[in-house]
Amino acid sequence: MIVPRYRIAASNIAGAGQGLFLLEDVSAGQVLTAPDAIDRTYRYDELTGSPELSAQLYASARWFEDRYTVSPDWPDECYLNHSFEPTGLWHLGFVFAARDLPAGTEITVDYRHLLPPGEEEAFTDAATGQPIVGLSWTESLRTSTHALAALLDGTRLAC
């Protein structure tokens, strides 16, 4: 579920296709997206061990530890594009505004939090050309928790 009003339009990120853009100003720390309608999660070995599920790995995202969802129906949240300097902070399936965001801002997240540990995305970061490689669960949780705490304390740290 996307909380603020938004629109889908051509992304500002080269090669990214469509993106999700705010239609209203959002304050730092405000929830941008929240989980809803999640029927179940899968262990990564379940995803890769099933021909039906492994064909949908492109539509999977890590939520916590070794648990992933699969969303082949492409809800609008799928238009959140990657950035190493994201406007949104992914934390346990929620996306929080990483700073005050004016209307018109494209919402981005760091895909390293969504990928399996060590897995490299099929494309590179558009701004840096660097590979996007999944973080370990511990590193993802540590960095996103630290960044969220800093946001809520009124300071901004790198996500």
Side-chain angles (χ1 to χ4, degrees):
M1 153 180 62
I2 302 169
V3 178
R5 292 180 306 118
Y6 68 94
R7 68 183 170 87
I8 305 298
S11 176
N12 295 323
I13 301 168
Q18 300 282 77
L20 194 145
F21 295 83
L22 294 172
L23 289 176
E24 58 190 80
D25 295 346
V26 173
S27 299
Q30 183 177 332
V31 173
L32 299 175
T33 71
D36 72 339
I38 296 170
D39 295 353
R40 70 168 291 186
T41 63
Y42 301 90
R43 288 186 327 271
Y44 190 69
D45 64 348
E46 290 178 285
L47 291 178
T48 58
S50 160
E52 180 181 298
L53 290 173
S54 64
Q56 298 179 26
L57 279 175
Y58 69 91
S60 69
R62 179 175 60 187
W63 287 79
F64 63 94
E65 296 178 345
D66 187 33
R67 304 302 293 196
Y68 298 78
T69 57
V70 177
S71 301
D73 55 347
W74 291 99
D76 285 354
E77 289 89 341
C78 291
Y79 293 107
L80 294 173
N81 289 312
H82 164 79
S83 175
F84 283 146
E85 294 188 25
T87 57
L89 167 64
W90 175 275
H91 180 73
L92 296 173
F94 289 82
V95 177
F96 297 87
R99 58 186 173 276
D100 290 338
L101 303 172
T105 300
E106 181 173 1
I107 303 304
T108 57
V109 295
D110 185 340
Y111 281 9
R112 294 177 297 177
H113 294 280
L114 285 71
L115 293 170
E119 182 175 301
E120 188 170 327
E121 187 61 82
F123 52 88
T124 60
D125 178 73
T128 66
Q130 296 297 309
I132 304 162
V133 180
L135 300 171
S136 70
W137 167 247
T138 303
E139 182 67 6
S140 174
L141 185 61
R142 185 188 65 73
T143 59
S144 68
T145 300
H146 185 66
L148 182 58
L151 269 176
L152 297 176
D153 286 342
T155 59
R156 185 179 185 289
L157 295 178
C159 300

